[in-house]
Amino acid sequence: AVAGSTVELGCSARGDPAPQVQWHKEHGDLPWGRHEVDREHTLRLYVVTSADAGAYVCTAQSQLGTAAATTFLHV
């Protein structure tokens, strides 16, 4: 990603009942005041900086279990 841009990280999770989906950064916190997660579980990071680079994990959890996927952001 280019510094100063907006990045969208997608996460698709389905089930019955619908799983709860959460995003976190593997080593650190999501950027305070510069992120949001929409209804489709897409994580948006605004005005990214080099400090935002790293691994981001999407975790889906339901009664049936937990699944996680990791993506890497390079700025």
Side-chain angles (χ1 to χ4, degrees):
V2 176
S5 66
T6 297
V7 174
E8 293 186 353
L9 304 176
C11 181
S12 178
R14 294 181 205 95
D16 189 15
Q20 288 187 314
V21 176
Q22 291 185 317
W23 278 97
H24 72 274
K25 189 173 181 190
E26 200 166 64
H27 299 290
D29 297 321
L30 294 175
W32 179 255
R34 294 187 298 110
H35 78 276
E36 70 177 357
V37 178
D38 67 17
R39 287 184 177 194
E40 287 77 39
H41 314 300
T42 299
L43 172 64
R44 281 189 190 81
L45 304 173
Y46 299 102
V47 194
V48 294
T49 68
S50 58
D52 297 325
Y56 288 81
V57 182
C58 172
T59 304
Q61 185 172 6
S62 75
Q63 302 168 2
L64 302 176
T66 302
T70 303
T71 189
F72 295 89
L73 175 64
H74 301 276
V75 180

